[in-house]
């Protein structure tokens, strides 16, 4: 597990430096290993999430904030599903790259999936939820948080507590937006592999360019109405 974490750190950091060189940081990036494992990286202006899965099996995820300055990338982990000792630690790397594709220490080639060129692309944090009384209850900000990142075609959510290093769950995959409907198709889900492949459709509205109002049925079939607010 620790070797997996180390290799993923190198891949993520190498990827992000190469992306900066191309003038594009935000977006989704993919690598598929010879044994069929998919590693997906999605990133905003200063936050990244990386996940690895194979068919219906979720393997691991990590993520946090990053800074890219003068060819040096510093990444500080906020969550890691396989090695919580890494949470809160910062790593800095200098990375070499060439052209619009790249490899890092023989770990293979990465391919851009999208460039996050859409108004919905951002990191969101859940800030409100409708209760049984049909009223929206604001959620107080605290150490525990649920984040959701959207790029141009990909999404991932995580429930974490960076202070206690707790990782509570994640899920991700592809999404589309059309005619007021937001539809997710699940590629990985840490809590229930049987949900993989399912598509869920929700009503949505992005208010004031920052608050995502999201309503419909959850993966468990429960009625939901949530508000997600942009973190960055």
């Amino acid at each position: 597990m620790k070797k997996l974490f180390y290799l993923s750190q190198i891949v993520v950091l190498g990827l992000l430096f190469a992306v900066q060189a191309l003038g594009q940081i935000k977006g989704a990036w993919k690598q598929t290993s010879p044994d069929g494992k998919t590693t997906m990286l999605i990133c905003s202006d200063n936050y990244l999430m990386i996940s690895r899965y194979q068919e219906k099996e979720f393997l691991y995820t990590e993520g946090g904030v990053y800074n890219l300055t003068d060819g040096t990338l510093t990444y500080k982990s906020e969550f890691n599903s396989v090695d919580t000792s890494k949470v809160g630690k910062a790593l800095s790397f200098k990375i070499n790259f060439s052209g619009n594709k790249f490899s890092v220490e023989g770990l293979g080639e990465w391919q851009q999936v999208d460039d996050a060129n859409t108004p919905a692309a951002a990191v969101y944090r859940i800030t409100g939820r409708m209760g049984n009384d049909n009223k929206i209850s604001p959620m107080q900000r605290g150490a525990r948080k649920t984040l959701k990142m959207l790029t141009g075609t990909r999404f991932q959510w995580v429930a974490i507590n960076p202070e206690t290093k707790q990782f509570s769950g994640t899920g991700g995959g592809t999404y589309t937006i059309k005619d007021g409907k937001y539809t997710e198709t699940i590629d990985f889900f840490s809590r229930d592999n049987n949900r993989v492949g399912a598509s869920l459709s929700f009503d949505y509205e992005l208010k004031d360019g920052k608050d995502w109002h999201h309503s419909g049925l959850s993966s468990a079939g429960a009625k939901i109405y949530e508000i997600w607010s942009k973190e960055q």
Side-chain angles (χ1 to χ4, degrees):
M1 287 297 188
K2 288 186 177 180
K3 182 178 180 181
L4 172 64
F5 171 82
Y6 174 75
L7 293 179
S8 69
Q9 288 281 353
I10 296 295
V11 170
V12 171
L13 295 172
L15 172 61
L16 286 171
F17 183 78
V19 173
Q20 185 202 38
L22 297 171
Q24 173 65 50
I25 296 176
K26 296 188 295 184
W29 302 81
K30 180 179 180 180
Q31 185 185 62
T32 303
S33 64
D35 61 358
K37 294 182 177 68
T38 296
T39 304
M40 185 67 64
L41 172 77
I42 60 175
C43 52
S44 66
D45 289 321
N46 65 352
Y47 204 94
L48 66 88
M49 298 181 186
I50 185 169
S51 53
R52 182 168 293 161
Y53 53 96
Q54 184 173 28
E55 296 181 350
K56 287 193 171 185
E57 182 184 6
F58 166 75
L59 300 174
Y60 111 109
T61 190
E62 67 173 290
V65 296
Y66 71 89
N67 178 267
L68 206 51
T69 305
D70 297 329
T72 297
L73 187 145
T74 301
Y75 163 69
K76 184 177 180 181
S77 172
E78 283 202 331
F79 63 92
N80 189 302
S81 66
V82 297
D83 189 353
T84 58
S85 70
K86 303 298 184 183
V87 176
K89 294 184 178 179
L91 298 172
S92 294
F93 294 85
K94 288 188 177 294
I95 308 295
N96 295 317
F97 61 92
S98 176
N100 61 1
K101 293 183 180 180
F102 65 93
S103 59
V104 181
E105 297 196 355
L107 296 180
E109 187 175 82
W110 287 81
Q111 181 66 49
Q112 185 178 35
V113 176
D114 70 65
D115 61 3
N117 185 21
T118 171
V123 179
Y124 298 84
R125 178 174 179 152
I126 192 166
T127 56
R129 180 179 286 132
M130 183 176 287
N132 294 329
D133 58 0
N134 291 324
K135 294 181 180 180
I136 298 293
S137 298
M139 302 177 70
Q140 293 185 346
R141 293 182 69 90
R144 190 186 187 283
K145 57 186 178 181
T146 301
L147 301 177
K148 188 170 190 174
M149 187 187 294
L150 301 180
T151 65
T153 60
R154 304 287 307 185
F155 79 93
Q156 183 178 350
W157 64 266
V158 291
I160 58 175
N161 187 328
E163 288 188 3
T164 63
K165 303 184 180 183
Q166 181 182 10
F167 167 80
S168 299
T170 191
T174 60
Y175 80 90
T176 60
I177 295 176
K178 186 177 181 180
D179 299 330
K181 291 289 186 180
Y182 167 81
T183 302
E184 295 180 345
T185 300
I186 301 172
D187 284 347
F188 61 91
F189 190 16
S190 64
R191 296 173 178 171
D192 185 355
N193 289 343
N194 292 322
R195 303 289 184 189
V196 174
S199 292
L200 305 173
S201 187
F202 303 90
D203 293 324
Y204 89 98
E205 184 179 4
L206 187 61
K207 295 187 177 182
D208 300 322
K210 62 183 180 65
D211 292 327
W212 181 286
H213 289 245
H214 181 89
S215 60
L217 299 178
S218 71
S219 59
K223 185 178 179 180
I224 61 171
Y225 189 109
E226 299 171 336
I227 298 175
W228 296 77
S229 301
K230 287 185 178 181
E231 282 281 271
Q232 293 98 12

